[in-house]
């Protein structure tokens, strides 16, 4: 845990005064409450958008709990992200109907166009590619969720327009 705190990247929220204050505030407000780990992580995720490994180590140290406990919560719930996300997210449904209907081809197209992998963000911080589970729109498979908007019956040849729209 100590080495994680020593190797904090320059752009980590712990190095940004305002964001560090947000983390400290979440800890101070919740440290004596039952379920403090979950409460702090929830608040930090909601306000900063992710909980990096160094943030997890910091929170564990401040709450005086094992790092494994904090890390366990972060990895168990998909709600928690460990890296900052882009301004926009494109999520690919990996439910069976969408998978069979061609989501893998859409993922390949997006990776080629943006030159990033699933789970990564473009260098300009604009777009993050993610996978998701069934969003309940199987009749429109294959489905992609752009920010919070469900886009169905997508074909690889139409997909570039969606990406260009998000970029503009
Ligand atoms: S499997 Fe994709 S919406 Fe259900």
């Amino acid at each position: 845990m100590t080495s994680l705190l020593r190797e904090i990247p320059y752009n980590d929220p712990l190095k940004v005064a305002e964001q560090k204050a947000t983390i400290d505030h979440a800890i101070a407000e919740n440290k004596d409450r039952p379920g403090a780990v979950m409460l702090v992580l929830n608040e930090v995720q909601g306000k900063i958008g992710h909980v990096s490994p160094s943030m997890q180590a910091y929170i564990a140290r401040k709450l005086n709990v094992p790092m494994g406990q904090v890390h366990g919560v972060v990895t168990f719930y998909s709600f928690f992200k460990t890296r900052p996300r882009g301004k926009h997210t494109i999520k690919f449904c990996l439910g069976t109907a969408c998978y069979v209907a061609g989501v893998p081809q859409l993922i390949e197209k997006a990776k080629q166009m943006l030159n990033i992998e699933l789970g990564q963000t473009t260098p300009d911080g604009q777009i993050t590619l993610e996978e998701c589970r069934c969003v309940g729109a199987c009749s429109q498979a294959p489905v992609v969720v752009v920010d919070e908007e469900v886009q169905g019956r997508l074909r690889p040849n139409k997909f570039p327009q969606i990406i260009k729209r998000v970029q503009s």
Side-chain angles (χ1 to χ4, degrees), residues 4-165:
L4 261 177
L5 287 174
R6 229 182 278 127
E7 296 158 14
I8 301 171
Y10 76 94
N11 59 349
D12 189 279
L14 285 173
K15 296 258 175 154
V16 180
E18 196 180 310
Q19 293 186 324
K20 183 168 179 299
T22 299
I23 298 167
D24 286 334
H25 181 260
I27 292 167
E29 262 207 336
N30 297 297
K31 69 178 171 28
D32 297 323
R33 298 170 68 185
V37 169
M38 182 57 109
L39 292 170
V40 170
L41 289 174
N42 249 319
E43 192 168 330
V44 170
Q45 173 66 44
K47 290 189 172 159
I48 296 180
H50 72 288
V51 191
S52 67
S54 50
M55 290 156 78
Q56 294 169 39
Y58 182 77
I59 290 166
R61 195 183 67 187
K62 290 286 187 179
L63 291 180
N64 202 21
V65 298
M67 170 67 175
Q69 186 181 336
V70 174
H71 185 66
V73 172
V74 170
T75 49
F76 186 79
Y77 296 98
S78 61
F79 165 74
F80 294 115
K81 307 293 173 199
T82 56
R83 286 190 285 198
R85 297 163 98 198
K87 194 168 164 204
H88 302 284
T89 53
I90 300 178
K91 290 185 222 158
F92 298 88
C93 174
L94 286 184
T96 307
C98 288
Y99 192 88
V100 171
V103 156
Q105 290 91 319
L106 298 178
I107 292 173
E108 279 313 307
K109 191 85 191 167
K111 282 161 61 173
Q112 275 171 20
M113 285 185 73
L114 298 173
N115 206 21
I116 55 172
E117 297 294 318
L118 271 188
Q120 294 183 338
T121 300
T122 51
D124 62 3
Q126 284 294 306
I127 301 176
T128 299
L129 298 180
E130 292 180 345
E131 58 183 53
C132 65
R133 290 165 196 249
C134 175
V135 294
C138 312
S139 62
Q140 296 178 51
V143 163
V144 163
V145 183
V146 180
D147 295 326
E148 295 310 315
E149 191 186 333
V150 173
Q151 312 253 346
R153 299 196 180 93
L154 275 179
R155 297 288 161 232
N157 62 339
K158 294 269 185 238
F159 197 53
Q161 295 165 19
I162 303 255
I163 292 196
K164 285 192 179 120
R165 208 184 68 209

